[in-house]
Amino acid sequence: MTTERAPQGKSPEVHGIFQKIAGYYDRMNFVMTLGRHARWCREVAVRAAPPSGGRLLDLATGTGVIALEAARRYPGVSVTGADFAEQMLERAKVKPGAEAVRWEHADAARLPFENESFDAITEGYLLRNVDDLDGVLREQHRVLKPGGRVVILETCPPSGPIKPVVDWGMRTVVPLLGQVVARDRSSYTYLESSTRAFESPQQVADLLRRIGFHDIGWHTRFFGTNVILWATRS
């Protein structure tokens, strides 16, 4: 499990949650994934593979972990990190290497970019927090160039034989960690409930295919509670 990026298109109350967690976002990510979060973000950046001289958009950039990794890995690529939560962006802008990224305040449901603007799109913990999943993915399809790749890091509901154990852990441990580490139980109660209510990787893949993506694949991580999913615009 992990904490998440700012919600796009959700109610002001939910948006407020993500403004509030910005100060301890990175610390909670580390604790809740037992240190795996940074590795997953590196994998997202690697799978995006934008061409030299191209443009990469990191949506729901949060504190900029994926965007900064992409900027380090691809110095010849123009990297834009966009998020709906101003407090998240303020944290990202003061990190080492932040000057290599263009930071944008933007709503993923209404991206302020021209059609076919980017060679690759990355995102972390965005989709579970939007009102219109289909519309948000269509926006990404719109601003992505033909042949460009989208790479998604997201939580997913547990499944399989260990589902009851993982469900119990999410209901019990996640809010408790929020209370102990961040003094914020309510925000992490939202985290676990939104994860368990979200689509499966197969359902997200089916939606991507209907929108016009192909070469779709995914790998689950951390007892099936996180997934890295990728697709290419036809």
Side-chain angles (χ1 to χ4, degrees), residues 67-68 71-72 77-79 92-103:
L68 291 167
R72 286 191 294 267
V77 169
S78 173
V79 177
K93 289 175 182 177
V94 298
K95 286 188 170 183
E99 66 281 355
V101 178
R102 177 183 178 186
W103 306 103

Side-chain angles (χ1 to χ4, degrees), residues 177-233:
L177 283 174
Q179 176 64 39
V180 172
V181 177
R183 304 275 195 267
D184 184 359
R185 187 180 187 91
S186 62
S187 295
Y188 290 90
T189 299
Y190 167 78
L191 163 64
E192 63 85 14
S193 62
S194 62
T195 294
R196 291 189 293 111
F198 189 56
E199 310 285 351
S200 70
Q202 182 64 63
Q203 289 171 313
V204 176
D206 290 343
L207 181 55
L208 286 165
R209 190 171 291 107
R210 289 197 298 272
I211 289 170
F213 289 93
H214 71 288
D215 291 340
I216 301 167
W218 69 86
H219 291 311
T220 57
R221 298 284 187 266
F222 210 51
F223 308 106
T225 59
N226 283 254
V227 62
I228 297 173
L229 190 149
W230 56 90
T232 303
R233 177 177 168 175

Side-chain angles (χ1 to χ4, degrees), residues 53-227:
R55 299 180 68 198
L56 180 145
L57 172 64
D58 182 42
L59 280 175
T61 195
T63 58
V65 179
I66 296 174
L68 291 167
E69 176 64 30
R72 286 191 294 267
R73 188 171 293 274
Y74 308 112
V77 169
S78 173
V79 177
T80 298
D83 205 290
F84 193 60
E86 299 89 341
Q87 290 299 317
M88 288 288 192
L89 289 172
E90 291 305 310
R91 296 279 173 171
K93 289 175 182 177
V94 298
K95 286 188 170 183
E99 66 281 355
V101 178
R102 177 183 178 186
W103 306 103
E104 292 269 356
H105 179 240
D107 188 334
R110 295 175 296 276
L111 292 175
F113 307 114
E114 298 294 327
N115 293 350
E116 300 180 6
S117 297
F118 294 95
D119 300 277
I121 296 175
T122 56
E123 62 192 70
Y125 308 112
L126 163 68
L127 300 181
R128 186 178 73 260
N129 296 308
V130 302
D131 289 321
D132 181 6
L133 179 59
D134 180 270
V136 165
L137 289 174
R138 287 186 184 279
E139 270 291 270
Q140 295 178 38
H141 186 273
R142 178 183 67 80
V143 303
L144 190 62
K145 294 178 182 180
R149 176 174 282 192
V150 59
V151 188
I152 299 164
L153 173 61
E154 186 56 88
T155 58
C156 53
S159 60
I162 65 170
K163 181 181 186 299
V165 176
V166 178
D167 263 339
W168 175 86
M170 292 173 65
R171 289 193 307 268
T172 307
V173 176
V174 172
L176 180 61
L177 283 174
Q179 176 64 39
V180 172
V181 177
R183 304 275 195 267
D184 184 359
R185 187 180 187 91
S186 62
S187 295
Y188 290 90
T189 299
Y190 167 78
L191 163 64
E192 63 85 14
S193 62
S194 62
T195 294
R196 291 189 293 111
F198 189 56
E199 310 285 351
S200 70
Q202 182 64 63
Q203 289 171 313
V204 176
D206 290 343
L207 181 55
L208 286 165
R209 190 171 291 107
R210 289 197 298 272
I211 289 170
F213 289 93
H214 71 288
D215 291 340
I216 301 167
W218 69 86
H219 291 311
T220 57
R221 298 284 187 266
F222 210 51
F223 308 106
T225 59
N226 283 254
V227 62

